[in-house]
Amino acid sequence: MFVDQVDLSEARAPTSVRRKLKPVLLWSAVTDTTQGAGAGEILSAPLIIEYPFKRTTGPVIGAFLTGLRERVLIGSRAEDGRVIVPPAEFDPVSGNDLTELVEVGPAGVVTTWAWVSAPHAKHPLDRPFAWAQIRPDGADTSMLGAVDAGAMENMQTGMRVTPVWADEREGHICDIARWIPESDGGNA
Amino acid sequence: MGKQRVAVVGIGQTKHQATRGDVSMAGLVREAALRALADAQMTWADIDAAVVGKAPDFFEGVMMPELFLADALGCTGKPLFRVHTAGSVGGSTAIVAAQLVQAGIHERVLTVAFEKQSESEAMWALSLPIPFTPPLHAGAGGYFAPHVRSYIRRAKAPDHIGILVALKDRQNGLKNPYAHLHEHDISFDSIKDSLMLWDPIRYAETCPSSDGACALVLGSERVADAAAADGRKPAWIQGTAMRSEPTLSAERDTVLPLGGALCAADVYRQAGITNPRKDVDCVEMYVPFSWFEPMWLENLGFAEPGEGWKLTEAGVTALDGDLPVNMSGGVLCTNPIGASGMLRFAEAAMQVRGTAGDHQVDGARRAVGHAYGGGSQFFAMWVVGADKP
């Protein structure tokens, strides 16, 4: 009996362990098929697909990510004068190179939001929060962030928020651990 | 209304290398595109549409990357089309772009193909384990090695043919400033002594993993005539063809795939080629492992089955031979997978435009570009010439 069920549980093994193994060695038949599969018996075999993806971020996105590490928000100025955050490498209208980097925020304004009443394991916060579009001061576009407002009643379009930086930053969007209402304590 | 004429009027490629750490994926694609535009003396505004090709998305782990590449290709608000036919994609992408002009839909089409292999592991991406199936191969070389072994047996080819191909292509690559590998000290013995990776394929008979992109500007007859009047020779597309066949059909001959032979027959018919060995001045074909040169010489009709290796051995396929093959150094010197097919097509066009620099074949007027992909199952070819079809 061939059952197209695969067990992905090992995919949650620590990355450090998995990287030591060649992908092809990760696969191994764990089922004894010589006995013949009886009724109700489900064959399973692990199928783990993992590649160590890397990113070369280039001069503009790279500057944004480096900025996060330094607690600075960086945008790029488009040819029509708008400041785009996170920065665009090329002008969205003309396609020309955008080379003028602009520091913005880091505080900004919520332009729209949605309340998450029951966060799941992969959400950035383990308590109810708002996904919000936040336009940093000096920017003309908004970016996604998690606002730790305590209760939905505290959320309002147009409210001011400020980022809370992660203690250990590595040039990743998660260097912004969360955003909090500015009324809750300014530059945390 | 019949098919409109179309020509290559601009060619650009990146410097290919193992890791292009200085540019993002978008920056890499753009570098090739800007060079093609400069060669065509055009700007983004002149382009009507773009066609983007690359091999499987999971090579970099970015799904449908063409969407975020629109800005980098100056394509906002313009038609942008994606092609994917595994390793042959660079060739089929150029063909799809050509068809947009042939159909009379657009006059100037930018086509770009790329791969940024440094962002992942194509070797293992091509070794997908299948549950309840023994893991039979590691990387493309493991898949193709039995095909090569079968060819050697059927053709009664001597062992050193693969080494000769690798030596020729790596030496040709020394003349190509964009090539990834520049191995100045390579020799017959150094190839022979290199590690046997997938018997009978040695390490030095294997393509590298490259970051790179290739771009072409295709123009209508009006656009190409204007370029010619300005002293910039177009490469007229005299025929294009694609064929594919299933990976695992039982009757399939992987040494001489029917799809490849039918693809060649179709493109020759369009170009009026009756004797490819005589009617074609040079060939740029997809040879990721050295032995594929004699195999494809036969599949594409340049030699009878079993005879391809004799052309290689006699030096016919050398840069100064009677039928030069892989003047650029080929896939054996440069392999940004998604771009590799387009690089073949581009080299063919450069030859008939007379712009191939140190790897130019004197007097080349008609050239064949060829790409294959998947498990020797996707084929794309074009014939380009100095003369209008």
Side-chain angles (χ1 to χ4, degrees):
Chain A
M1 178 191 291
F2 186 95
V3 180
D4 59 348
Q5 175 175 334
V6 293
D7 180 3
L8 290 169
S9 60
E10 283 188 36
R12 297 190 192 97
T15 300
S16 58
V17 173
R18 282 178 286 147
R19 291 250 167 90
K20 284 179 186 158
L21 301 171
K22 297 278 171 60
V24 77
L25 298 179
L26 282 170
W27 183 89
S28 61
V30 295
T31 308
D32 181 359
T33 55
T34 58
Q35 310 277 322
E41 188 181 349
I42 295 174
L43 303 180
S44 74
L47 174 63
I48 300 166
I49 300 173
E50 186 195 59
Y51 314 113
F53 292 122
K54 289 172 266 186
R55 285 288 171 264
T56 303
T57 53
V60 176
I61 308 302
F64 172 76
L65 295 173
T66 304
L68 292 177
R69 201 175 59 199
E70 306 303 320
R71 296 191 174 102
V72 171
L73 273 184
I74 302 271
S76 62
R77 192 181 301 282
E79 289 186 341
D80 61 6
R82 289 186 307 147
V83 173
I84 300 171
V85 183
E89 208 172 344
F90 313 106
D91 191 272
V93 178
S94 70
N96 290 328
D97 288 299
L98 295 183
T99 54
E100 186 187 344
L101 299 178
V102 181
E103 186 178 337
V104 297
V109 172
V110 169
T111 60
T112 188
W113 54 277
W115 190 252
V116 178
S117 51
H120 63 65
K122 290 195 172 177
H123 278 153
L125 297 173
D126 59 4
R127 50 196 177 274
F129 68 99
W131 282 122
Q133 285 288 335
I134 298 156
R135 188 176 65 235
D137 296 339
D140 294 284
T141 64
S142 57
M143 55 188 281
L144 187 68
V147 179
D148 190 9
M152 188 166 73
E153 292 69 39
N154 298 331
M155 287 301 300
Q156 197 172 4
T157 296
M159 70 189 286
R160 292 190 57 77
V161 291
T162 193
V164 177
W165 300 96
D167 292 336
E168 291 187 15
R169 295 172 307 281
E170 53 178 16
H172 188 282
I173 193 65
C174 294
D175 289 354
I176 299 176
R178 58 199 169 103
W179 298 74
I180 55 171
E182 210 168 58
S183 55
D184 283 3
N187 256 343
Chain B
M1 190 171 71
K3 196 158 68 177
Q4 307 291 303
R5 290 191 174 107
V6 56
V8 179
V9 295
I11 301 174
Q13 61 184 292
T14 58
K15 171 72 181 95
H16 310 285
Q17 57 195 53
T19 303
R20 281 295 306 267
D22 58 323
V23 286
S24 62
M25 208 182 297
L28 183 79
V29 168
R30 187 175 172 87
E31 184 176 307
L34 281 171
R35 285 178 181 162
L37 284 177
D39 187 30
Q41 298 192 6
M42 291 183 192
T43 67
W44 301 117
D46 295 314
I47 297 298
D48 301 325
V51 183
V52 175
K54 74 173 298 299
D57 287 355
F58 61 79
F59 279 6
E60 288 92 356
V62 178
M63 297 300 112
M64 299 177 74
E66 67 276 12
L67 301 180
F68 94 97
L69 293 174
D71 286 353
L73 295 173
C75 264
T76 308
K78 293 180 183 177
L80 175 66
F81 193 82
R82 159 77 185 276
V83 178
H84 170 34
T85 61
S88 72
V89 68
S92 31
T93 303
I95 290 174
V96 169
Q99 288 170 346
L100 292 175
V101 179
Q102 288 172 324
I105 298 170
H106 298 300
E107 282 216 87
R108 298 175 196 81
V109 176
L110 173 69
T111 183
V112 188
F114 74 98
E115 207 73 61
K116 210 159 187 314
Q117 284 215 55
S118 67
E119 306 211 350
S120 75
E121 288 280 349
M123 157 96 184
W124 294 113
L126 290 168
S127 312
L128 286 181
I130 303 166
F132 309 108
T133 303
L136 285 174
H137 67 279
Y143 181 86
F144 291 124
H147 305 185
V148 170
R149 177 58 72 198
S150 181
Y151 172 76
I152 292 172
R153 177 181 54 78
R154 279 159 56 165
K156 298 182 175 61
D159 288 342
H160 68 283
I161 298 300
I163 301 172
L164 291 178
V165 174
L167 181 62
K168 167 183 71 75
D169 284 4
R170 292 274 160 80
Q171 287 178 334
N172 287 354
L174 292 174
K175 300 175 188 298
N176 177 1
Y178 296 105
H180 173 174
L181 296 182
H182 285 139
E183 298 190 332
H184 294 274
D185 297 329
I186 194 144
S187 67
F188 183 93
D189 287 337
S190 73
I191 297 167
K192 186 166 183 254
D193 295 341
S194 70
L195 190 66
M196 188 63 84
L197 281 187
W198 303 279
D199 196 346
I201 302 171
R202 295 172 177 82
Y203 176 76
E205 297 176 82
T206 300
C207 56
S209 291
S210 314
D211 283 0
C214 181
L216 304 171
V217 177
L218 303 179
S220 65
E221 183 170 16
R222 194 174 66 84
V223 170
D225 281 344
D230 193 39
R232 290 174 285 119
K233 284 171 70 173
W236 293 97
I237 297 172
Q238 300 180 344
T240 64
M242 289 187 260
R243 290 291 186 281
S244 61
E245 59 188 48
T247 324
L248 295 173
S249 67
E251 73 273 30
R252 200 162 87 90
D253 182 351
T254 49
V255 174
L256 275 175
L258 181 61
L262 293 176
C263 188
D266 186 9
V267 81
Y268 296 155
R269 182 188 55 73
Q270 293 172 41
I273 293 170
T274 52
N275 182 345
R277 177 79 169 79
K278 281 173 60 179
D279 298 344
V280 172
D281 295 322
C282 53
V283 189
E284 185 79 14
M285 57 172 67
Y286 204 107
V287 177
F289 304 100
S290 60
W291 280 94
F292 276 89
E293 174 174 302
M295 289 164 71
W296 294 148
L297 282 170
E298 296 171 22
N299 195 222
L300 306 188
F302 294 105
E304 291 298 316
E307 303 287 314
W309 62 269
K310 295 175 184 170
L311 298 187
T312 300
E313 189 177 48
V316 170
T317 59
L319 194 53
D320 59 357
D322 187 45
L323 182 72
V325 173
N326 291 343
M327 301 70 70
S328 72
V331 182
L332 278 176
C333 290
T334 305
N335 188 33
I337 301 173
S340 288
M342 192 174 287
L343 287 166
R344 313 282 70 76
F345 280 41
E347 174 69 18
M350 286 163 68
Q351 290 290 340
V352 299
R353 294 175 88 203
T355 59
D358 289 344
H359 46 105
Q360 177 70 45
V361 173
D362 284 343
R365 295 194 64 79
R366 181 145 61 180
V368 167
H370 161 268
Y372 88 99
S376 286
Q377 69 193 108
F378 304 119
F379 305 91
M381 294 178 71
W382 78 9
V383 175
V384 286
D387 302 311
K388 279 189 190 181

